[in-house]
Amino acid sequence: MPDQEDHSGTNAAPAYITTPIYYVNDKPHIGHAYTTTICDVWARAKRFEGRDVFFLTGTDEHGVKVEKSAKERGMEPQALADENAAEFQKVMGLFNLSNDDFIRTTDPRHEEQVRRFVKRLHDQGDIYLGEFEGWYDEGQEEYHTETKAKELDYKSPISQRPLVRATETNYYFRLSAYQERLEKFLAENPDFVRPEARRNEILGRLREGLLDVPVTRTNFSWGIPFPGDEEHVIYVWIDALMNYATALGMADPDSSERARYWPASYHVIGKEILWFHAVIWPALLMALDLPQPRCVYAHSFWISEGQKMSKSLGNFIDLEQLQGYMDTYGRDALRFFLASQGPLGATDSDFSRSQFHETYNTDLVNTLGNCASRTSAMIGKYCEGACPTDTGEDAGGAEEWAQFTAAQMDASLAAMDRFDLSGSIAAAMAIVRKVDAFINETAPFKLAKDPDNAVTVGNILYRCAEAVRIASCLLEAVMPARMNDLRVAWNLGEPSGNIREECTWGRLNPGTEIEKVALFPRVEFTESE
Ligand code: ME8
């Protein structure tokens, strides 16, 4: 299991997480925002554990698609790339994403290292000049084996357009030579490709046998020239995959400060680009003699109001719509929805307005928001706004709460390690739900009517506040701004960088000024914008 060895909360071991780099021939949409947001949640969570994290995202700017889109718009490819890379960079601000770098494949630092990697592969014979004939998917820029092409009815599984029989003189990467090593590697590392269903697909496809893959093209020019033979440009996928290494300066690791982050804890991607990440990338890394990433996590897709999003339907949830959700519900509510309801497993998730509204009301308004405001309001009313002391007596005693919150913390952090974001959130929310039930059972608002119950009321309210505080620490990576509001209102201080210590029962000091908070305002439901 990735990162389990670093689960102590005190270990500053480096961690590296990446998103795919996004094509600049299109505008950003919910899919891009989603992958980047969930990586941000993980990166923040690991920083709260004290880890030294590097979180990378960026844009994929070469290739025939970008060249074509630019031509259609009467622009130079670089101008289109600049324009759209800026759109993707906007997503970072909009979603409050804490990436440590934003790599663009037209960055000279990237281009220069790709040429060095490719030259090395050529010099050592892993890349050769050859002629090849096969079934080619023009939209995906991908070749299929005869068996696979037949299975696909000679049509692209993505665009449904016919596969074409193509012959090319190109430089090829000797992927076939890595068949056995890849099979062995995947067998020995059952957590390398997740989730499980995706891993099985890869194992099945590997068994069909590997073909060498072209790593250059001559039919267009928008790309990195092949070292020593500039007629050829490096195929966009090879160029793109290498971003994960070039961003850390891995062509010359000895002189790169960032080399300590290698290899990635998680390459997080969508399921449609798994083959490149689970087979081609590891083979390239084997050839380059670089350590393998711990896990390639391929999530499923968001669909929109029950329908697959497609250009022809024009139903992509774009940045403007997402901005609308943020304006109405708040940015952190959108982050919460994406992280808790997203398609992390092997099935797609529906992004629907009604589902969003329901999640917001159930989890944020009625549970977390309500618990925090009820608790602080009662402390205001019955304890003069100062955190009471817990004498450890009374039903639902401190000991039981300490054990319960510690178990939930363990579950929440362990789920985050496995990239099970909804599991991590659920474990934190279970604490809040228990507080809610505890308030209803013990009814401190009734007990408070008799001054003789002051100690009991104090005990109850201390436990409520302390449990909400611990849950909020565990939710801080998902909702950094709202949880910080709670920190400020309850005078909890800055995050310590040691989440386990912070979540220890009893850290909340009696006497701390607890101000009333309204974290998630009620929102009227509207069918559409
Ligand atoms: O494939 N639901 O870039 P891209 C969830 N440049 N996520 C989605 C999604 C959806 N409906 N649609 C897209 C490329 N995504 C290459 C990658 S990496 C070395 C090169 C997300 O702009 C998901 O993460 O088409 C998917 O993998 C990515 O966007 C594809 O972005």
Side-chain angles (χ1 to χ4, degrees):
M1 193 181 298
D3 289 323
Q4 202 176 34
E5 70 279 15
D6 301 314
H7 194 214
S8 66
T10 53
N11 191 332
Y16 181 34
I17 185 161
T18 67
T19 75
I21 48 171
Y22 305 115
Y23 283 132
V24 286
N25 60 322
D26 238 335
K27 299 266 184 245
H29 58 69
I30 184 172
H32 308 121
Y34 172 66
T35 313
T36 324
T37 300
I38 56 178
C39 289
D40 180 70
V41 168
W42 192 87
R44 285 175 187 270
K46 292 291 145 184
R47 290 191 197 109
F48 285 132
E49 281 185 22
R51 297 281 296 276
D52 174 17
V53 176
F54 198 88
F55 164 27
L56 179 71
T57 187
T59 40
D60 190 355
E61 307 193 354
H62 292 127
V64 72
K65 283 194 210 174
V66 176
E67 192 177 82
K68 242 175 157 174
S69 303
K71 207 175 254 169
E72 278 162 23
R73 293 184 49 192
M75 294 169 89
E76 285 301 318
Q78 185 67 61
L80 176 72
D82 289 346
E83 190 181 294
N84 274 351
E87 287 295 307
F88 279 96
Q89 275 160 336
K90 248 195 234 162
V91 178
M92 306 303 135
L94 196 61
F95 280 78
N96 193 13
L97 303 173
S98 64
N99 52 305
D100 296 286
D101 195 358
F102 187 99
I103 192 161
R104 299 180 55 185
T105 54
T106 55
D107 287 344
R109 59 166 171 160
H110 171 77
E111 294 190 349
E112 191 256 328
Q113 289 183 76
V114 168
R115 285 167 65 90
R116 280 164 69 181
F117 280 138
V118 167
K119 182 168 184 313
R120 202 185 298 166
L121 293 171
H122 188 214
D123 289 350
Q124 70 195 30
D126 275 304
I127 286 178
Y128 63 94
L129 189 66
E131 187 156 282
F132 176 83
E133 199 188 350
W135 292 105
Y136 187 59
D137 181 337
E138 291 177 307
Q140 293 302 103
E141 302 187 32
E142 186 184 2
Y143 276 92
H144 291 291
T145 59
E146 180 62 41
T147 327
K148 186 70 188 176
K150 195 167 172 192
E151 199 180 287
L152 294 171
D153 201 15
Y154 302 95
K155 282 190 197 130
S156 162
I158 310 291
S159 68
Q160 302 306 320
R161 288 211 309 263
L163 300 176
V164 294
R165 199 76 191 145
T167 311
E168 289 184 6
T169 301
N170 271 322
Y171 287 91
Y172 287 88
F173 172 56
R174 234 177 260 289
L175 182 63
S176 58
Y178 290 89
Q179 172 97 31
E180 266 178 39
R181 275 180 74 183
L182 282 166
E183 282 177 358
K184 185 162 179 282
F185 174 70
L186 282 159
E188 284 171 359
N189 295 279
D191 286 326
F192 177 67
V193 177
R194 290 178 48 222
E196 182 77 18
R198 298 278 101 87
R199 168 183 153 81
N200 292 335
E201 281 171 18
I202 291 295
L203 292 176
R205 223 176 128 183
L206 252 185
R207 265 180 240 122
E208 289 168 16
L210 292 171
L211 299 177
D212 290 351
V213 286
V215 294
T216 60
R217 291 284 190 274
T218 47
N219 58 341
F220 67 96
S221 58
W222 181 236
I224 304 175
F226 187 81
D229 189 354
E230 313 245 318
E231 289 285 288
H232 291 257
V233 295
I234 296 168
Y235 174 41
V236 64
W237 264 105
I238 301 298
D239 167 359
L241 285 166
M242 287 180 173
N243 92 86
Y244 303 129
T246 63
L248 300 187
M250 295 306 288
D252 186 8
D254 291 341
S255 58
S256 171
E257 278 236 326
R258 292 177 172 181
R260 69 177 187 278
Y261 295 107
W262 190 270
S265 310
Y266 283 107
H267 287 313
V268 182
I269 57 168
K271 61 183 173 183
E272 85 288 14
I273 56 175
L274 180 59
W275 181 254
F276 294 100
H277 287 81
V279 174
I280 297 180
W281 183 226
L284 284 169
L285 291 173
M286 284 171 186
L288 290 166
D289 212 12
L290 286 171
Q292 298 293 339
R294 297 214 181 91
C295 178
V296 172
Y297 198 106
H299 63 68
S300 300
F301 278 166
W302 280 104
I303 58 171
S304 166
E305 305 286 349
Q307 274 187 315
K308 188 174 183 310
M309 290 188 282
S310 76
K311 274 201 180 151
S312 50
L313 288 172
N315 62 344
F316 273 100
I317 299 175
D318 58 17
L319 281 196
E320 219 170 280
Q321 278 187 63
L322 293 170
Q323 175 83 65
Y325 277 97
M326 285 191 198
D327 292 346
T328 312
Y329 296 91
R331 172 161 67 191
D332 277 0
L334 181 53
R335 287 173 58 98
F336 182 88
F337 182 72
L338 294 176
S340 65
Q341 308 292 315
L344 265 190
T347 42
D348 292 345
S349 296
D350 189 20
F351 193 108
S352 78
R353 195 162 279 280
S354 55
Q355 171 77 20
F356 187 102
H357 188 78
E358 164 132 11
T359 301
Y360 179 73
N361 266 342
T362 311
D363 288 343
L364 298 182
V365 179
N366 296 335
T367 305
L368 181 55
N370 189 41
C371 244
S373 89
R374 261 173 121 185
T375 300
S376 46
M378 286 191 282
I379 291 177
K381 210 160 158 190
Y382 311 131
C383 315
E384 293 168 353
C387 176
T389 302
D390 186 350
T391 61
E393 296 151 1
D394 299 309
E399 189 54 35
E400 193 184 313
W401 273 103
Q403 278 169 12
F404 176 73
T405 51
Q408 294 309 114
M409 174 191 69
D410 281 342
S412 181
L413 297 181
M416 188 60 81
D417 265 354
R418 295 191 306 273
F419 214 73
D420 172 10
L421 270 55
S422 59
S424 178
I425 291 171
M429 290 300 291
I431 299 178
V432 186
R433 288 186 217 288
K434 189 171 160 86
V435 173
D436 211 25
F438 184 60
I439 295 176
N440 293 341
E441 272 160 32
T442 56
F445 40 88
K446 279 191 195 149
L447 293 175
K449 288 181 182 146
D450 181 348
D452 283 353
N453 291 329
V455 170
T456 305
V457 169
N459 286 348
I460 294 169
L461 292 180
Y462 181 89
R463 289 163 207 172
C464 294
E466 180 58 339
V468 168
R469 181 191 71 80
I470 291 170
S472 80
C473 292
L474 296 170
L475 291 167
E476 199 146 9
V478 184
M479 298 183 285
R482 287 289 82 78
M483 297 305 96
N484 189 56
D485 289 348
L486 185 78
R487 258 182 202 283
V488 171
W490 288 16
N491 286 294
L492 302 174
E494 293 292 313
S496 73
N498 183 336
I499 189 101
R500 292 190 159 265
E501 211 174 88
E502 252 194 280
C503 288
T504 306
W505 187 264
R507 258 179 85 97
L508 179 59
N509 286 327
T512 306
E513 215 177 300
I514 303 280
E515 241 176 67
K516 189 167 187 298
V517 277
L519 297 173
F520 303 101
R522 281 196 186 279
V523 169
E524 281 299 308
F525 180 68
T526 46
E527 277 298 331
S528 64
E529 289 285 275

